[in-house]
Structures are given as C-alpha cells and as structure tokens.
Amino acid sequence: MDKKLLTIQDISCVGQCSLTVALPIVSACGIETAILPSSVLSNHTAPGFSAWTFHDLTEEMPKILDRWLKEGISFDAFYTGYVSKSQIPYILDIMEKAANPGALRIVDPAMADNGKLYAGFDNDFPKEMAKLVRGADFILPNLTEASFLLGIPYVGEDYDKPYIEKVMKDLYALGAKNVILTGVSFEKGKLGVAVYNGTTFDYYFTERLNASMHGTGDVYASAFAGSLMRGKTPLEAASIAADFVVESMKKTIGDEKHWYGVKFEKAIPYLVGRLN
C-alpha cells in the first residue's frame, strides 16, 4: 500500500524553504505528501530580505486534527520543520492521534544555524523543541541545533570525532531513536553527515562547496524523509540527501540574483535517478 506523509512547518511564500521545499521534494520521491502549515510568511527571515509578514496558524491545528479524525484521515509518517513553541503540544497530539500503526516521526529541529537561534525564537525554545525530539524516530539537527538542544556551547568547527560521537550519544539520550547530525567535517574540502542508532556510528561525506546558501537544511531533511519512506536505510537516505543538496547547490552557483535559496528543482531528476 502507498505511504502517506504529513509535513508540518511554515509556508514562506518566497525563499525556497520549509513547505515550498518539502512538498515538491517528498512528492518527487513518490510519496503522497499532506501538509499542515504552521504559519504563513511573505518570505523567509534570513538576512537578505529587509522584513517579512507573518501570520500564525496555531489556532487552526486542533480544528484541523478534529476534522481529520472525523474523516478517518491518518498518516504513515510525520515530518516536522520550522514551528513555534506554542504549537509543539498540538503537534505531539496530532502525531499520536492521527498515526497509523508504526508511523514514523521525523523531526528537523529547525531553529538555529551558525551558532545563533533564528529570528523570533527565545532562549527557552530549545527546551520545547526537545519535547518533539523525545520519542522521534529520526532527528536531523545541525551542529548549532545540537548545541542548543543539549545546552552546551557552540564550538564552531573546532571539534574532533570523539566530540561528535559524544554529542550524538547525548542527543540519543534525549529520547530520539536515530540521530542524523548534519554539517560534520573532519577534513578540509569534505562535508557530510553522521548517523547514530544507539549502537553504531556511520559517516558519509561529499565535496564541500565554497558557498553558503539558504534552505539547504530543508532540502536535506525533505530528501532524507522521502528517501527513507521509499525504503532506503537511514545511511542510504542520509547519503542520497547529502548528494542531492550538493547537486542543488551546483545548479545555483554563479547566479548572484538567486541568493535566497537553492535551485533544487533542477536537481530533482538526479534525486529520482538515485531512488530508482
């Protein structure tokens, strides 16, 4: 039977992130993708845009769940991204009540990068995000988000393999069943992911491009979720997603007008080819 995934995150109408990334990428993986917008923004909040509009949709969440339950609607997987603190109890309720047996919980704790929380998140937010992490089947933090979840200083790139493995063990201890840590590098020119299931550590590295682009975390998480739902192992899904991000960035490099995201659409044929 075909699988159905629900992704819960914001809609940034312009900017190639969140739902405008998740819906097409997971769908391209051949997975029916339902959406629950957490908020609507005119554009994303990263530097480059001078301001943005924001409309919160928290009050809609319990109404939507109530309607789904009456309609008998349920899901085989949940994939969460950028959400607000007040929404986390509702999301946990949705993941409990609208789940098919064995439904997966994939949590991208989208809240920080480069040592800082995103605009609009206060210092208490990581404690609330930890509630989504607890019981998740897969979490996909970057190193900044891992630091905030654990309440430890962000060390930048000053780390070694024992440090990374200690961080992953501590994230696992928060209650996640599998940890996919992104943005890991032990060698110049290489960037990748670390995968931990509570027993073994695995790593996968790609070439490190000399570029930093918005939305790559959302592209990665979406490709990971779609690949996993297609039956790939966690390491395979993590690897495919990493390569897809690199392909998306390569499609974007050189276009100075496209500073707000990556041209993931042009790399979708590559993703489909890897899955098949």
Side-chain angles (χ1 to χ4, degrees), residues 93-212:
D93 200 36
I94 290 166
M95 291 194 297
E96 178 182 349
K97 294 179 179 177
N100 289 329
L104 292 177
R105 299 184 181 189
I106 303 164
V107 174
D108 176 11
M111 61 180 174
D113 204 0
N114 297 315
K116 297 180 180 179
L117 288 169
Y118 292 151
F121 289 154
D122 60 29
N123 291 330
D124 290 332
F125 185 77
K127 293 180 181 177
E128 294 302 310
M129 179 57 72
K131 295 177 182 177
L132 269 185
V133 166
R134 189 182 308 124
D137 292 282
F138 296 90
I139 61 169
L140 297 90
N142 60 36
L143 284 164
T144 297
E145 289 158 348
S147 299
F148 276 109
L149 283 169
L150 297 174
I152 60 175
Y154 173 64
V155 298
E157 297 191 5
D158 184 21
Y159 57 78
D160 54 16
K161 185 177 283 189
Y163 174 83
I164 291 297
E165 295 188 353
K166 171 72 162 57
V167 166
M168 296 182 78
K169 285 180 179 179
D170 290 345
L171 288 169
Y172 181 84
L174 292 179
K177 298 173 186 175
N178 295 269
V179 179
I180 315 294
L181 187 62
T182 64
V184 175
S185 178
F186 302 125
E187 178 185 351
K188 187 176 181 180
K190 297 290 185 180
L191 187 67
V193 294
V195 179
Y196 180 58
N197 62 7
T199 304
T200 59
F201 296 96
D202 290 295
Y203 295 90
Y204 180 79
F205 297 97
T206 64
E207 69 175 297
R208 183 170 196 161
L209 302 178
N210 186 27
S212 178

Side-chain angles (χ1 to χ4, degrees), residues 77-88:
F78 302 92
Y79 154 36
T80 67
Y82 184 101
V83 298
S84 67
K85 183 162 57 176
S86 61
Q87 293 169 344
I88 289 173

